[in-house]
Amino acid sequence: ESESYQEKLADIARYRQKILICEQQIRQLSSEGAESAALSLLYRLKDDPVHVNLSRQDWDMLIDLTDVLFNQIVSSLTEKYRLTRHEQEICCLVKWNFTRKEQLAIFNNTSDALTKSKQRMKKRLQLDEKNDLDSFIRLF
């Protein structure tokens, strides 16, 4: 009975933590500042990825919004696999379904450079050759 009681207390603690996280996400979504700016930036990126130059602050907003709307994906992957900043940015764009062509324009990079970055990321995530990185991120 005591062991069962302890398990229930642990469950309650986990649920309280989830509630706190949900409340934080609701507060973030309710504030009109950063999220609306990040959404506006996403629209501009989708509309014309070649002519939108992202600052570090812009990336911070996009990564934060991605975390809020996609169950802390970037934070979880970073914590678990120690993603680099560029890998976090790739993750963000993949999660928002940016095409490879759009990703190349946003990063102002060559196809080979993006391929190498994704290969390094795939290795960091411990994915084998059969696993597709974009699919893994979209389903994570």
Side-chain angles (χ1 to χ4, degrees):
E1 193 171 312
S2 177
E3 187 176 320
S4 174
Y5 179 75
Q6 293 301 321
E7 287 175 10
K8 297 223 185 286
L9 284 178
D11 287 344
I12 289 171
R14 269 196 311 279
Y15 290 128
R16 283 187 177 149
Q17 184 63 29
K18 285 183 179 184
I19 289 170
L20 289 173
I21 290 169
C22 289
E23 287 173 345
Q24 179 185 9
Q25 290 174 341
I26 289 168
R27 279 193 300 278
Q28 286 176 338
L29 289 171
S30 297
S31 68
E32 298 209 8
E35 285 73 23
S36 64
L39 284 173
S40 173
L41 186 58
L42 274 173
Y43 289 133
R44 289 195 336 255
L45 276 175
K46 273 294 191 181
D47 192 40
D48 189 9
V50 174
H51 294 102
V52 178
N53 295 320
L54 298 174
S55 68
R56 184 163 180 88
Q57 183 180 5
D58 292 336
W59 276 113
D60 288 341
M61 284 191 314
L62 288 177
I63 290 169
D64 288 345
L65 181 65
T66 303
D67 267 350
V68 167
L69 295 178
F70 295 106
N71 199 26
Q72 305 298 319
I73 181 172
V74 179
S75 296
S76 297
L77 287 172
T78 300
E79 183 179 317
K80 187 171 183 178
Y81 298 104
R82 301 185 65 203
L83 298 184
T84 66
R85 177 60 182 223
H86 184 60
E87 290 168 342
Q88 292 173 10
E89 294 166 356
I90 290 171
C91 179
C92 185
L93 294 181
V94 169
K95 196 64 179 175
W96 286 103
N97 291 316
F98 279 82
T99 65
R100 181 172 179 81
K101 185 176 178 182
E102 290 168 330
Q103 291 173 38
L104 290 170
I106 291 166
F107 291 129
N108 192 22
N109 231 334
T110 65
S111 182
D112 288 342
L114 184 59
T115 298
K116 283 189 179 204
S117 292
K118 286 189 170 190
Q119 285 173 343
R120 282 191 298 271
M121 186 174 177
K122 195 172 176 179
K123 191 174 186 178
R124 187 180 303 272
L125 296 173
Q126 302 166 352
L127 299 175
D128 60 23
E129 291 295 320
K130 297 174 189 170
N131 292 337
D132 178 54
L133 176 67
D134 290 8
S135 297
F136 175 81
I137 291 169
R138 286 188 185 109
L139 296 173
F140 186 83

